[in-house]
Structure formats: structure tokens, C-alpha cells
Amino acid sequence: MFANPKFLVLLYLAAIVIANLTVAAFGPAALYLNAFVLIGLDLSCRDRLHDSWRRQGLVWKMGLLILTGSCLSWIFSPAAGRVATSSLVAFALAATGDALVYQGLHQRPYLVRSNGSNVVGAMVDSLR
């Protein structure tokens, strides 16, 4: 199930949309849920998709996925538009940092690649 790219795309989008909508609805109170659950889920799905899409349009597919998550957030709640816009930038930067580290560790076991890249991705996402 977690190797199925279609499932991972849906899980990834759900994490982005839920994170954006909870921040828009609850403000800073939602940051703990987002930081410890949804961002980690997002980054882990990104790593699995990295393996699935390597040499098959990884960069444009991930970019489109991040853009789609922000657009869905705005569609579900126009009041979340500002959050969705800042999220677009934050997720793009976090995914870029995550991808660079993940690819740099490509000869390591999956858990080393994923944990190493997720630390960087989470740090970058926290800067927003």
C-alpha cells in the first residue's frame, strides 16, 4: 500500500490540505499537530514518491503535487488563501531540501535516507 504511487499522492495531498486548513482555522494552535504528524507524513510520502518517480519526471511531478495541494486548500476554504500561498513556498523549499539530501544519501538504506532528509525538510519548513 505504501509503495503504491497513487495512494502516496492522495496521502501527500491530504497532509498538505489538512495542514493548511487547520492552520487557517485554528492558527498557531494547529502547529503542533502539523509539525509532528502532517509535515512528517508529507516528507515521508515525498521520499517514497522520489523512489517511484526517479528518472520519470520527479521534479515537475513534485512541483505539480505541491501546487495542487495549495490550490485544493484554497478551493476548500477561500479564507485559507494566505495560508495556502505561504504553504506553497514552504512546502516547495522543504521538498527541495529533502530531495537534495535524500538523493545525496541514495546509496544508504531507506531509513537513513528518509530520516536524514526529513530532518532537513522539517527544519526548512519550520522557517516559514
Side-chain angles (χ1 to χ4, degrees):
M1 175 163 58
F2 289 106
N4 182 336
K6 290 178 185 177
F7 176 75
L8 291 169
V9 164
L10 291 176
L11 199 56
Y12 185 94
L13 288 173
I16 288 179
V17 171
I18 292 169
N20 289 342
L21 296 180
T22 57
V23 168
F26 303 110
L31 294 178
Y32 295 108
L33 168 71
N34 289 351
F36 293 107
V37 177
L38 298 172
I39 302 306
L41 177 61
D42 166 80
L43 292 170
S44 296
C45 287
R46 198 225 66 79
D47 292 342
R48 287 292 187 187
L49 289 170
H50 186 115
D51 289 338
S52 294
W53 291 341
R54 187 177 306 147
R55 295 187 184 95
Q56 296 175 9
L58 171 65
V59 173
W60 72 264
K61 286 179 181 178
M62 287 308 304
L64 184 60
L65 198 55
I66 293 167
L67 179 63
T68 301
S70 293
C71 288
L72 286 173
S73 299
W74 183 78
I75 289 168
F76 286 130
S77 174
R82 291 175 82 187
V83 172
T85 302
S86 70
S87 168
L88 173 68
V89 174
F91 277 115
L93 292 173
T96 300
D98 186 277
L100 291 171
V101 173
Y102 191 83
Q103 185 60 38
L105 296 172
H106 72 279
Q107 293 184 0
R108 306 284 182 162
Y110 172 75
L111 287 177
V112 172
R113 292 191 317 263
S114 184
N115 287 326
S117 65
N118 288 352
V119 166
V120 172
M123 286 188 331
V124 171
D125 183 72
S126 296
L127 296 175
R128 81 171 143 140

